[in-house]
Amino acid sequence: MKSKSTLVTYLTRLDPSFKRLLFITFLIFSIMASLRPSSFLTSRNMISMAFQFPEMGILALAISIAFISGGMDLSLVGISNLSGILGGYLMLGLINDQTGPIGIFCAISVSILASLCVGVLCGVLNGQLISRLNISPILATLGTMQLFTGIALILTKGSALIGFPQEFSFFGQGSVWLIPVPLIIFLVTAFGLHHILSKTYLGHSCYYIGTNQKAAKFAGIPIAKTLLKTYMTSGLLAALAGIIMMSRVNSAKADFGSSYTMQSILVAVLGGVSPLGGKGKVAGVIIAVLALQFLSSGFGMLRMSQYAKEFVWGFLLVLLVALNILWDGRKAR
Amino acid sequence: MRKKVRSHEFYLLLIFIVFSLFVGLLNPAFYSFGNLFKILKSSVEMGLLAICFMLVLILGGIDMSFPAIAVASMYMTVSFLNTLGVDFPLFVPFLLAGGIGAVFGAINGILIGILELPTLIITLGTMSLIHGGLVVFVGKSWISNLPAALVEFSKANIIQWTSSAGDVQGLHASVLILVGIAIMVGLILKYTWFGRSMFAIGGNLEVAKRHGIPVARIRFLVFVAVGALGGIAGLLHGTLVRMANPFDIIGTELNVIAAVVLGGVSLSGGSGTIQGTMLGVLLINIVNNSLILIGMPSYWQKFFIGAIVIVSTLFTANRGKLVRVNKTRKGFMVI
């Protein structure tokens, strides 16, 4: 009995916009489940969805950090692709026909590490442009997005990178005790990020800088260092998402996922992260990415085109934002 | 503040000249009139879209839905006129596209201007709404036979000649449309109360409101105008490529945004010039054109554009502080 009342108390005390998001997600789930119960409510579908949403979820988390700090990162998909491609080249270079299982394991580990490092380096570039040279984040990441994608295009000449070892697909397609690996990676990432954002100095500084940078500066918060770390983290997460994407489709391409940028912004904003900075929680982003996934899978089952999904998604976004702001008395601009 | 803006355009012009000289050295074909006119022609669509984006940016918001409005207006106009089957004079499709665009713009106007919802998010939403709606409810096939008037217009060169290689070159009429609209917008921004109020609203919303400026009405009207302009831009695109493709134009937003921001329009609103924007558009188009002339493979293009955006912003005065402090001074800038 006691646990039930605390759950109820917890639910009632939640932020109203979060409650609305939960409600809408639940609604979407119910609608999809009732329209196609035989295909939607199956464990096969649940598992399939659990394989698909983590990459978007990680990207959404990455862009959320940038949003919270008061900036934006449009280059994330470029970072995903570039880091994936560079790691992929390394992996292909290290493995030949005679490599044994230990060799393959080492090659994969090294190339994953390399990809993550590339992601961090890209993040460093973004961070320096934004914090040291004071270039506006939209502009800086627009430029770096073109830059990263451009480098990736030059390296691959536009074609896809294929031929990865079978073992590599573990990250995007494998499971541990029936739990999909991407989901595990996502949960660990989300938990880690939640910890950083809510319990560490770095995380709190992020929120402060996003709310009012000048005040944060006068409060003694090291702006340049914090922003640098923020964009480095975004880059790292983007590279992680890139690895999962690459492992799921077993290839790496320079312009893969071009619509992911917009989608991740939608997910982040729907999840309660304000693009103006200072607001947003990991929990919101998780629910929002689930909502997107339910919609996406449900529409697939209803044989609706991706454009119908786009339409509904846009409609939902406008509706939710309008409701949030109108009902909360225009507090949240 | 004034000096800051002027020096930005100055640097932009400098980069423009330097780059043109550089490209001309590598390939003298760059300097031909035919090539220059080709650059101008390819700048028309981006130029009009850039004006759309610039107007909302001056107002203090970021509009991501203008490509969707452009392509939707274009596609709906073409399919509607084709269904009617009658041959219309040229101004009819333009009027129709502008009208449809204006209606879409009005949606944005109500949500953002009157209900005061945040621009970036809402326009992301309306972009998905309009584009998704277009494909789902109107159609997704490519229409390759356009109304006769449009086809004729696509060949309408003001000055034209046939080059030694045998292809027709010349200054296209649509460039005049761009120039005309750019001049008109520039005059409105600089000399009318409406234009100056736009800068005021973008500069400091509270102060503008207390000055008695009818913020909601101006915002609404600007979004309607931007929608109409977007519709015309979309129709021009369709005319120039001689095809109505509902998947066009979407995806070029980042290039347009790059051009506008390159041109010195502040991302937080309240400042910007039409000359800067046009220079930015020209610069991006020159880069694209010259890379082709030099013979650089197309996949180097993105890299170059990214590098140019970064380098130009390093040198120009567009790097402001991230904090929006003291925006009152930008309120009534005389450009």
Side-chain angles (χ1 to χ4, degrees):
Chain A
M1 272 302 112
K2 186 161 181 219
S3 60
K4 183 183 180 195
S5 66
T6 23
L7 179 64
V8 170
T9 329
Y10 174 70
L11 282 177
T12 40
R13 286 227 211 104
L14 282 175
D15 188 39
S17 52
F18 187 65
K19 270 193 276 191
R20 251 170 254 137
L21 179 63
L22 273 177
F23 178 67
I24 289 194
T25 310
F26 182 69
L27 201 68
I28 295 178
F29 186 83
S30 319
I31 294 179
M32 294 305 164
S34 53
L35 283 176
R36 285 281 183 280
S38 50
S39 29
F40 193 78
L41 282 180
T42 60
S43 59
R44 199 178 96 173
N45 179 47
M46 297 294 148
I47 293 182
S48 156
M49 290 197 293
F51 268 111
Q52 291 173 48
F53 80 81
E55 50 194 61
M56 175 56 63
I58 296 184
L59 275 178
L61 287 174
I63 209 170
S64 299
I65 319 175
F67 275 156
I68 289 175
S69 74
M72 196 178 295
D73 195 340
L74 296 167
S75 63
L76 290 175
V77 173
I79 297 181
S80 299
N81 286 330
L82 182 62
S83 56
I85 286 175
L86 286 175
Y89 272 128
L90 189 64
M91 197 179 351
L92 288 176
L94 287 175
I95 296 182
N96 52 36
D97 290 328
Q98 285 104 350
T99 323
I102 300 186
I104 291 185
F105 176 74
C106 287
I108 293 182
S109 317
V110 166
S111 51
I112 287 183
L113 216 65
S115 288
L116 294 176
C117 283
V118 169
V120 172
L121 284 174
C122 293
V124 167
L125 178 63
N126 279 331
Q128 295 287 31
L129 287 174
I130 293 171
S131 62
R132 284 287 174 75
L133 298 174
N134 264 325
I135 302 182
S136 139
I138 298 184
L139 202 53
T141 54
L142 218 96
T144 50
M145 179 199 75
Q146 304 267 36
L147 204 74
F148 298 146
T149 313
I151 297 178
L153 271 177
I154 294 172
L155 285 174
T156 61
K157 301 209 178 17
S159 48
L161 202 60
I162 51 173
F164 301 130
Q166 184 76 338
E167 289 81 347
F168 181 62
S169 55
F170 173 68
F171 294 102
Q173 304 170 37
S175 310
V176 174
W177 299 324
L178 288 183
I179 308 178
V181 172
L183 181 64
I184 299 178
I185 300 180
F186 175 67
L187 288 175
V188 169
T189 311
F191 186 71
L193 201 66
H194 169 78
H195 179 84
I196 294 180
L197 282 178
S198 55
K199 305 245 175 29
T200 68
Y201 180 66
L202 175 64
H204 284 195
S205 308
C206 237
Y207 282 103
Y208 296 148
I209 298 178
T211 313
N212 188 332
Q213 194 173 345
K214 200 110 189 175
K217 189 158 140 190
F218 285 136
I221 294 180
I223 309 265
K225 211 157 66 156
T226 311
L227 283 182
L228 187 65
K229 287 191 195 163
T230 304
Y231 285 97
M232 276 166 68
T233 313
S234 290
L236 180 70
L237 290 181
L240 190 61
I243 294 174
I244 298 182
M245 283 194 275
M246 201 165 79
S247 168
R248 192 168 63 84
V249 301
N250 264 326
S251 67
K253 211 159 181 285
D255 54 5
F256 184 68
S258 46
S259 63
Y260 277 13
T261 313
M262 252 353 127
Q263 282 186 41
S264 56
I265 296 181
L266 285 177
V267 170
V269 168
L270 215 67
V273 179
S274 167
L276 300 163
K279 224 171 92 133
K281 296 262 169 71
V282 169
V285 176
I286 298 180
I287 306 290
V289 80
L290 284 177
L292 172 64
Q293 188 55 55
F294 293 154
L295 214 60
S296 179
S297 296
F299 275 179
M301 280 168 200
L302 291 170
R303 304 291 183 81
M304 277 202 210
S305 68
Q306 68 178 99
Y307 296 100
K309 178 177 61 143
E310 201 181 311
F311 178 74
V312 174
W313 195 232
F315 182 71
L316 269 183
L317 186 64
V318 171
L319 192 71
L320 202 72
V321 171
L323 285 178
N324 272 345
I325 292 194
L326 291 177
W327 281 357
D328 291 340
R330 301 190 192 185
K331 267 186 294 178
R333 250 166 319 150
Chain B
M1 273 295 144
R2 195 171 184 165
K3 195 170 109 178
K4 197 171 170 184
V5 170
R6 216 181 268 153
S7 69
H8 177 93
E9 259 96 53
F10 176 70
Y11 280 123
L12 204 59
L13 201 59
L14 212 65
I15 295 177
F16 187 85
I17 295 176
V18 164
F19 193 79
S20 309
L21 286 172
F22 175 67
V23 175
L25 273 166
L26 285 177
N27 188 342
F30 181 71
Y31 287 138
S32 66
F33 268 115
N35 193 47
L36 249 51
F37 288 157
K38 191 159 70 164
I39 296 177
L40 284 177
K41 182 174 176 181
S42 65
S43 311
V44 170
E45 176 198 335
M46 190 190 273
L48 283 177
L49 290 176
I51 298 180
C52 288
F53 189 69
M54 175 186 84
L55 289 175
V56 179
L57 208 55
I58 289 179
L59 216 53
I62 295 183
D63 181 6
M64 301 295 283
S65 61
F66 61 93
I69 297 181
V71 73
S73 312
M74 179 262 287
Y75 194 78
M76 285 166 75
T77 305
V78 170
S79 36
F80 182 67
L81 289 181
N82 273 348
T83 341
L84 287 184
V86 181
D87 263 342
F88 291 100
L90 188 61
F91 73 89
V92 171
F94 276 103
L95 209 65
L96 193 58
I100 297 178
V103 169
F104 285 136
I107 300 178
N108 275 335
I110 295 178
L111 290 170
I112 301 172
I114 299 181
L115 294 178
E116 289 203 7
L117 302 175
T119 21
L120 179 62
I121 312 172
I122 290 292
T123 52
L124 279 179
T126 44
M127 173 183 81
S128 300
L129 209 60
I130 294 175
H131 189 234
L134 173 74
V135 176
V136 169
F137 297 120
V138 181
K140 57 182 165 194
S141 44
W142 297 9
I143 303 180
S144 38
N145 51 332
L146 307 180
L150 290 179
V151 176
E152 269 190 49
F153 184 70
S154 72
K155 305 183 203 149
N157 285 319
I158 305 173
I159 320 166
Q160 106 178 6
W161 64 89
T162 320
S163 75
S164 46
D167 56 320
V168 177
Q169 295 182 336
L171 178 63
H172 194 261
S174 54
V175 177
L176 279 191
I177 297 185
L178 174 66
V179 170
I181 292 183
I183 293 180
M184 195 170 70
V185 169
L187 290 175
I188 291 180
L189 284 177
K190 186 167 174 184
Y191 291 119
T192 68
W193 165 84
F194 191 85
R196 287 152 142 266
S197 302
M198 281 172 64
F199 285 107
I201 296 174
N204 193 321
L205 184 62
E206 269 311 308
V207 169
K209 277 187 183 170
R210 292 185 193 180
H211 261 276
I213 294 177
V215 169
R217 204 191 315 163
I218 291 187
R219 273 175 160 183
F220 177 76
L221 288 174
V222 169
F223 275 105
V224 169
V226 163
L229 211 60
I232 295 180
L235 190 66
L236 272 173
H237 169 89
T239 310
L240 292 174
V241 302
R242 302 229 187 112
M243 179 155 61
N245 178 357
F247 303 109
D248 265 347
I249 309 183
I250 312 272
T252 60
E253 342 31 50
L254 293 180
N255 272 339
V256 173
I257 295 176
V260 172
V261 179
L262 210 59
V265 183
S266 165
L267 276 168
S268 47
S271 74
T273 67
I274 193 93
Q275 309 94 287
T277 307
M278 291 296 109
L279 267 180
V281 170
L282 274 177
L283 197 61
I284 299 238
N285 272 294
I286 285 186
V287 168
N288 278 331
N289 171 279
S290 50
L291 288 182
I292 298 176
L293 273 187
I294 297 179
M296 200 157 268
S298 60
Y299 41 78
W300 278 91
Q301 272 184 18
K302 267 194 189 282
F303 174 77
F304 259 92
I305 302 241
I308 286 190
V309 168
I310 294 181
V311 168
S312 317
T313 43
L314 280 180
F315 281 114
T316 62
N318 198 30
R319 307 144 35 184
K321 303 227 161 88
L322 286 175
V323 177
R324 304 136 171 251
V325 165
N326 272 346
K327 286 171 67 186
T328 45
R329 280 200 61 200
K330 280 201 250 171
F332 285 99
M333 267 192 80
V334 179
I335 305 298

